[in-house]
Amino acid sequence: KLYQQRDKAEQNLNDNTFGLDGMIEEMEVAITLELSQSILSASPWINSGLKSLARLDVIFLKAWFGKIKQGCVPDVTTDGGINVKNFIHPVLSMKAVHVTPIDLALSGDQRALIISGPNGGGKTLALKSFGVCSVMVKLGLPILQSPGTVTKPSIPFIDDIFVDVGDQQSVLEGTSTLMSKFKFCGEVLSFMNTVSSPMSRTSLVMIDELGEGTEPVAGAAIARAIVENVLDSSPSSRMVATTHSQQLKTLHFEDDRFHCASVLLEEFPSASNRFKRPSFQLAYGVTGDSYALGAASRSEPPLPEAVLSRAADLMSDGEGAQLRSLSAGLEQQLEQLQQQKREIETTKDEIQKTQNGMMSMANKYGDKLGYLEKRLDSIYKSLLNDDTKNTIEVIGGTLAELRIAKRKIKSEQEILAERGLKIVPVGYELMKGDSVVILAKGEWEGDTASVVEYDGLNVVVNPSMDWGKVMNADGTFMPNISIEKPLSFKRHEVAIWDYKSNMKAGANTANGKEKKKDLFSNGDRVLELLSTVPSTKKKPLAKPTKKKVVTTARQRKAAAKRNKKKK
C-alpha cells in the first residue's frame, strides 16, 4: 500500500512538471515573437546605425594608419597638378626596412608625363605611385612621405582612374599583347567621348609600355595619336605612361603638353658588377636609355659573358650609338647635379639648425636683457629719489638715455675727509650744541653752526659767525654777529668733525711721544682746516680754492706756544 501511494505521488509530480514545461515553452515563443517584431519594426534605424558605426570604424582606421605611418593629409587642389615630395609606397613600407622615396610631379600645364629609363629601374613602380596617390586621396588616406619632408603634398580629386599595367593577352579570347593595349585605349576613349559632362570630370590614364608590341615606328605613331586624342577629349584629363620608344621620349620637344622623366642609375659598390644598378629615383626633364645590357647582366641565372660582349659590339655600330652616348652624358651631368643638390640640402639643414640655435640663444639673452632693463629702471628711479644723489649726475630722462657720470674726480666724502669732516651717518645722534659745518648750497655754505634741534632727518642749526678776537685797524676787536632765526637743513646738508680719522694718523707710530706730537699736530691741522671755512658765499666744497688763510685767536695762541717750545 505504501508503494502504491508513492507511485501515485510521483505520477502527480510528473504531470505537474510536464505542465510547467509546456507553459515555459509557450512563454519563450511569445517572448521571441515579440522581440522579433520589435527588431523588424526598428530595422531601418538598426541598419542606419550599423552603417554609421562601420563608417566611423573606417575613419578611425584611416587615422590610425596615418599615425603609425607618420602620414600627411594632402592639399586637394583644383588645377589638376600633382606635387608629392619623397613619396613612399604604402605596400613597400609595410614589408621593406628601407624604402627609397620618389618625387611625383605633374604640373597643370604639362598634362602628360612620359617616363623612360632602364629595364627594371622602377618605371612601372613610379607609374603605379601616381595611381596610388590618387586613390589614397579619393579614400581620404594620409599620404606617406619620408621623415623630415617639409613640403606638404598637393593632389587633385580625380573622378576616373584608368590603368593598364602588364600583359593582358588571353589565349581564350584570342587577344595578343598589342590588341590588349588597343582594346584598353578604345574603352578609355569611348568613355571620354560618351560622358555627359567631360568638362566637370577629371580623369587620369596610366599606360605601361606604351607603343610596344609591334614595329617601333608604327607602334610609336599609334601610341602618339592615342595620347593626343585622350588629351583633346577632355581638358581636365591627365596621362602618365612608360615607354622605350625614342619617338615618344622626345614628345616634349614638339608639344608643350608633354613632360619627360627618367629613372636614374647609381654606381654599384661591388667591383664584380660591370654595370650600374637602378636607384629607383625619378629625374624630371631628361630621357633615359633602356640599358638592356645592364638588365641582361642582372638576370638570374646570368647570361654568358660572350653573349653580353657580342650584344655590346652590335649596339656600338648602330645608328642609336650617338644618341645613347649623348643620353649617357646627360645622365652623368644629372647625377652630378643631384649630388650637388644633396650637398646643398645638407648645408641648408646645417644652416637651419645653426639659425635655430642662434634664435634660441637670442631669446635667452632677450629674457636676460629684459630682466636687466627692469633692474636698471629700478636703479634709475632709486637714483632720482635718492637724497644723496649730489655725488653723481643722472643724465637722460628715459632708460634708453640713461647715463651716470661722475661729476667730481673725488667724491664728497674724500674731500670732506681731507678737511677732517664727514657726512652725518644714518642713526647718528646730534646733540644740542654740537658743532657742524653747513654743506647746503647758498650763502651759508661752508660756515660752522651750532645744533639747536635734530629729529633724525632735519637739523635746526644756529650759525655761530664767531671770528674770535680779531683786531680792527683802529685797535678795537671785531664784534660777533648772532643770528636771531635758526636755519633748518636736511641731514645730508651738514657735516660733522671726524676726530677719529685725524687721530688715526698718529695711532700707528712707534712710541708715545711721537703719538702725542702727532696728536697735537693733528689738532693744529683741525684748527687750520677750521680757518679755511669761508664766512661768505664761496665756491662749492667740491672745488676748494687756495686763498690766504685767515687765522683766529685760537690759532695765534697755538702758534705762540709752538714758538716758545722751539726757543
Side-chain angles (χ1 to χ4, degrees), residues 7-21:
D7 294 338
K8 187 176 181 179
E10 290 179 356
Q11 185 176 0
N12 293 333
L13 181 60
N14 291 333
D15 294 339
N16 294 334
T17 302
F18 290 147
L20 291 174
D21 291 341

Side-chain angles (χ1 to χ4, degrees), residues 363-419:
N363 293 332
K364 293 181 179 179
Y365 278 106
D367 297 339
K368 186 176 181 180
L369 180 60
Y371 168 76
L372 294 177
E373 287 180 348
K374 292 180 180 178
R375 188 176 178 185
L376 283 175
D377 191 23
S378 63
I379 294 174
Y380 177 70
K381 293 179 179 178
S382 63
L383 288 175
L384 292 178
N385 299 327
D386 191 4
D387 294 337
T388 61
K389 63 181 181 182
N390 54 352
T391 58
I392 55 177
E393 182 178 2
V394 181
I395 304 173
T398 62
L399 182 62
E401 302 172 353
L402 179 60
R403 297 196 308 262
I404 299 179
K406 289 289 184 180
R407 191 173 58 185
K408 303 174 182 179
I409 299 176
K410 294 182 180 181
S411 65
E412 184 176 349
Q413 288 84 355
E414 293 176 350
I415 296 175
L416 293 176
E418 292 179 356
R419 302 181 60 185

Side-chain angles (χ1 to χ4, degrees), residues 452-508:
V452 177
E453 185 180 353
Y454 176 63
D455 59 1
L457 294 177
N458 301 315
V459 184
V460 179
V461 299
N462 189 9
S464 62
M465 302 295 291
D466 183 9
W467 287 283
K469 298 294 184 178
V470 180
M471 183 178 293
N472 295 322
D474 57 356
T476 61
F477 292 98
M478 182 180 295
N480 291 331
I481 302 174
S482 61
I483 304 299
E484 298 180 356
K485 186 178 180 180
L487 304 176
S488 178
F489 298 98
K490 296 290 184 181
R491 175 176 55 82
H492 65 273
E493 294 178 336
V494 297
I496 60 176
W497 301 105
D498 190 6
Y499 297 105
K500 293 183 179 180
S501 62
N502 294 320
M503 297 175 66
K504 285 181 180 178
N508 298 325

Side-chain angles (χ1 to χ4, degrees), residues 124 127-128 163-169 176-178 180-181 184 206-210 212 242:
T124 304
L127 176 74
K128 292 179 179 180
V163 184
D164 179 56
V165 177
D167 192 354
Q168 305 298 330
Q169 63 176 330
S176 64
T177 301
L178 180 63
S180 65
K181 296 285 185 183
F184 170 78
M206 296 179 293
I207 304 177
D208 190 27
E209 303 293 345
L210 182 64
E212 302 298 322
T242 63

Side-chain angles (χ1 to χ4, degrees), residues 3-38:
Y3 287 114
Q4 292 177 356
Q5 292 178 356
R6 187 186 65 182
D7 294 338
K8 187 176 181 179
E10 290 179 356
Q11 185 176 0
N12 293 333
L13 181 60
N14 291 333
D15 294 339
N16 294 334
T17 302
F18 290 147
L20 291 174
D21 291 341
M23 293 176 63
I24 292 172
E25 186 176 356
E26 291 176 0
M27 292 297 295
E28 289 178 351
V29 172
I31 292 172
T32 303
L33 181 60
E34 184 177 357
L35 291 177
S36 300
Q37 291 177 353
S38 300

